């Protein structure tokens, strides 16, 4: 059976299978992307490419219902979440079409001597994108759109469980008028992906996925002297130090934790709560998690199944191991096929494995802390450093904590506030790059110095 298949995690039913690419097809994809960069990319202006990218955004909106249904089948997310993802992918794509002039062209430099100097920004060539299953459209949009506006061409290897959505994205680029090779979808194996990375015509690789996948890709990229951008896992802290409305804070905490059925790298997973409101927070949080409804993604539900049976079994093993090591199971901990019930763990200590793990699903750990310093220390006691959330009524405290947290993003008194203009990325083992916002255009671009004498 091909590794590329649409398997509905709600039912286990295999809807379609797609053959992996042959080695000849991989060579053709590289050659096509290389040719498109040497011809079409160099013969078009950023403004012209931006106009075509804007058409891709329009096609996302026009085909929203069909696109959303595809990813409900592929990875099980609730239909409302899937629809929202398509709309966000359209917004991101449109952002780069609207702002092409801010990240292309020349930037004058102030120089010490006479004459002039500018930084000329230009494309570098074909790029390989290795994308994950949890946000099939959104992840691709934030990688592909800025790079195509810059003039880079894209070879896209999506997750094996997302063959239909990856084909749909490629079709939108074709229907928007992009020539052959500008955006190429490949059903590549991991071995073939390594071949693409090693090819001298390919100039960089971006991977969004697990720490393990990122490490493997980075090693290959380094061995072949290729630029690599990594967006990896996270175990984001949600710090609650004070609040004038605990119920509202809990509602936001649960909404963020259960977004995408808990399968989001920058979702809050560790809830760090001041001791004076800890008991009330645990009670309210547990009740709110308990009220979440599970169901088929096409049903009216809060969360769907996890992306696969394997994903649910992995989360079950982590939770069971935590309980065996002494954690308290305040809620949940049960699995039915790929469905995993909303789960809350307390009394987790540094000696337990779960203290250092990312829980990729609707499971949370709640910690009690004595105050600000302990909260920051606990927030930073992880190898990850993606996002973080701080709730406090004291603006000065918010500023201190935000400054002290070791993460690429800090959200103060808000959740789910991602936006196309805001950069996304982390530090430590959460990654090495930024996507979205204008910083995304700095990842794969030649910042060429042009110095002219008077």
């Amino acid at each position: 059976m091909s590794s590329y298949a649409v398997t509905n995690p709600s039912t286990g039913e295999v809807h379609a299978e797609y053959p992996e690419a042959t080695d000849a097809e991989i060579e053709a994809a590289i050659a096509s992307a290389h040719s498109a960069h040497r011809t079409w990319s160099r013969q078009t202006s950023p403004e012209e490419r931006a106009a075509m990218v804007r058409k891709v955004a329009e096609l996302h909106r026009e085909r929203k219902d069909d696109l959303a249904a595809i990813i409900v089948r592929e990875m099980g997310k609730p239909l409302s979440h899937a629809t929202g993802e398509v709309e966000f992918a359209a917004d991101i794509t449109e952002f780069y079409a609207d702002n092409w002039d801010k990240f292309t062209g020349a930037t004058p430099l102030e120089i010490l001597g006479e004459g002039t100097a500018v930084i000329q920004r230009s494309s570098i060539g074909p790029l390989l994108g290795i994308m994950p299953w949890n946000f099939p459209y959104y992840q691709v949009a934030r990688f592909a759109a800025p790079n195509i506006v810059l003039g880079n061409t894209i070879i896209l290897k999506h997750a094996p469980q997302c063959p239909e959505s990856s084909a749909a994205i490629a079709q939108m680029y074709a229907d928007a008028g992009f020539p052959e090779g500008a955006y190429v979808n490949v059903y590549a194996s991991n071995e073939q992906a390594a071949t693409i990375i090693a090819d001298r015509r390919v100039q960089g690789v971006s991977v969004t996925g697990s720490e393990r996948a990122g490490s493997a890709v980075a090693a290959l990229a380094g061995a072949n002297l290729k630029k690599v951008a990594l967006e990896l896992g996270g175990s984001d802290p949600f710090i609650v130090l004070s609040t004038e409305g605990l119920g509202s804070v809990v509602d936001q905490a649960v909404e963020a934790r259960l977004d995408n059925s808990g399968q989001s790298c920058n979702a809050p997973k560790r809830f760090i709560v001041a001791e004076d409101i800890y008991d009330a927070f645990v009670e309210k949080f547990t009740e709110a998690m308990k009220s979440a409804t599970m169901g088929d993604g096409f049903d009216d539900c809060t969360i769907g199944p996890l992306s696969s049976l394997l994903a649910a079994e992995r989360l079950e093993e982590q939770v069971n191991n935590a309980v065996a090591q002494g954690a308290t199971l305040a809620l949940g901990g049960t699995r039915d096929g790929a469905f995993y019930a909303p789960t809350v763990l307390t009394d987790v200590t540094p000696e337990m494995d779960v203290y250092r793990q990312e829980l990729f699903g609707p499971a949370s750990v709640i910690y009690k802390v004595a105050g600000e310093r302990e909260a920051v220390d606990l927030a930073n006691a992880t190898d990850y450093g993606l996002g973080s959330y701080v709730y406090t009524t004291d603006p000065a405290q918010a500023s201190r904590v935000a400054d002290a947290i070791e993460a690429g993003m800090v959200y103060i008194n808000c959740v789910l506030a991602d936006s196309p203009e805001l950069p996304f990325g982390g530090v430590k083992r959460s990654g090495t790059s930024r996507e979205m916002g204008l910083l995304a255009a700095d990842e794969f671009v030649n910042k060429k110095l042009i110095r002219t004498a008077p």
Side-chain angles (χ1 to χ4, degrees), residues 9-12 294-296 304-306 308-309 312-313 316 332-343:
S10 291
T11 63
M294 290 190 297
D296 185 294
L306 296 195
S308 67
L309 178 61
E313 290 174 339
E316 178 183 42
T334 60
R335 180 181 64 83
D336 182 7
F339 290 90
Y340 196 84
T343 295

Side-chain angles (χ1 to χ4, degrees), residues 401-426:
V401 174
D403 185 61
I405 289 178
E406 297 166 354
M409 302 173 286
V410 181
Y411 291 90
I412 298 173
N413 296 331
C414 62
V415 297
L416 302 179
D418 298 4
S419 189
E421 76 279 10
L422 301 179
F424 183 106

Side-chain angles (χ1 to χ4, degrees), residues 234-238 265-271 385-389 409 430:
S235 188
D236 291 8
F238 187 106
C265 53
N266 66 319
K269 303 177 178 77
R270 298 178 298 137
F271 296 84
L386 188 54
S388 56
Y389 306 83
M409 302 173 286
S430 287

Side-chain angles (χ1 to χ4, degrees), residues 347-409:
D347 301 318
V348 169
T349 64
E351 294 75 27
M352 301 176 188
D353 293 337
V354 74
Y355 186 85
R356 290 170 294 279
Q357 294 173 334
E358 177 183 22
L359 296 175
F360 214 62
S364 305
V365 180
I366 309 179
Y367 297 91
K368 180 195 298 185
V369 291
E372 176 184 325
R373 184 69 259 167
E374 186 179 351
V376 169
D377 289 344
L378 180 54
N380 291 337
T382 174
D383 288 336
Y384 296 109
L386 188 54
S388 56
Y389 306 83
V390 179
Y391 279 76
T392 175
T393 56
D394 181 350
Q397 182 179 62
S399 180
R400 289 194 306 271
V401 174
D403 185 61
I405 289 178
E406 297 166 354
M409 302 173 286

Side-chain angles (χ1 to χ4, degrees), residues 2 18 28 56 67 86 113 172 190 208 210 212 251 255 263 291 322 333 338 362 376 399-400 412 424 429 433 454:
S2 170
Y18 294 73
V56 175
L67 293 172
V86 177
M172 284 188 285
N190 290 339
T208 301
S210 67
R212 176 180 171 184
D251 288 344
E255 181 184 15
Q263 300 167 115
S291 67
V376 169
S399 180
R400 289 194 306 271
I412 298 173
F424 183 106
R429 300 185 75 85
S433 61

Side-chain angles (χ1 to χ4, degrees), residues 31 75 89 106 153 163 183 185 222-223 225 239 257 303 314 332 338 345 367 374-375 377 389 401 419 439 444 450:
M75 54 79 60
T153 54
Y183 184 102
N185 178 55
L225 300 179
I239 300 172
R257 185 66 198 99
I303 61 174
R314 184 180 300 117
L345 292 168
Y367 297 91
E374 186 179 351
D377 289 344
Y389 306 83
V401 174
S419 189
L439 292 183
F444 297 102
I450 302 177

Side-chain angles (χ1 to χ4, degrees), residues 1 38 77 129 187 191 207 228 231 237 252 258 292 314 318 322 331 359 361 377 387 396 403 406 419 436 440 451:
M1 184 177 71
R38 292 180 63 85
K77 70 175 65 191
Y187 297 133
E191 292 75 18
V207 58
V228 60
E231 294 286 0
Q252 293 176 68
L258 297 184
R314 184 180 300 117
Q318 288 177 290
L331 178 71
L359 296 175
D377 289 344
D403 185 61
E406 297 166 354
S419 189
M436 300 210 300
R451 174 75 164 87

Side-chain angles (χ1 to χ4, degrees), residues 159-325:
Q161 69 196 80
C162 298
E164 193 174 352
S165 57
S166 60
I169 297 169
Q171 189 63 53
M172 284 188 285
Y173 275 91
D175 292 346
F178 284 90
E180 181 180 353
Y183 184 102
V184 186
N185 178 55
V186 292
Y187 297 133
S189 66
N190 290 339
E191 292 75 18
Q192 289 170 328
T195 297
I196 297 171
I197 294 170
D199 194 286
R200 289 182 178 269
R201 292 165 290 183
V202 176
Q203 299 303 307
V205 55
S206 176
V207 58
T208 301
S210 67
E211 181 183 340
R212 176 180 171 184
S215 177
V217 171
L220 285 167
N224 290 281
L225 300 179
K226 300 292 172 68
K227 173 65 187 293
V228 60
L230 302 175
E231 294 286 0
L232 308 177
S235 188
D236 291 8
F238 187 106
I239 300 172
V240 186
L241 296 173
S242 61
T243 175
E244 294 177 351
L246 185 59
S248 175
V249 172
V250 168
D251 288 344
Q252 293 176 68
V254 172
E255 181 184 15
R257 185 66 198 99
L258 297 184
D259 181 52
N260 203 41
S261 303
Q263 300 167 115
S264 178
C265 53
N266 66 319
K269 303 177 178 77
R270 298 178 298 137
F271 296 84
I272 301 169
V273 185
E275 58 186 357
D276 60 326
I277 54 175
Y278 173 83
D279 290 340
F281 183 93
V282 171
E283 180 182 358
K284 290 180 179 293
F285 185 88
T286 303
E287 285 301 313
M289 290 280 279
K290 186 187 301 183
S291 67
T293 56
M294 290 190 297
D296 185 294
F298 288 107
D299 296 337
D300 183 15
C301 58
T302 308
I303 61 174
L306 296 195
S307 63
S308 67
L309 178 61
L310 179 61
E313 290 174 339
R314 184 180 300 117
L315 181 60
E316 178 183 42
E317 181 180 2
Q318 288 177 290
V319 172
N320 288 347
N321 187 49
V323 173
Q325 292 179 346

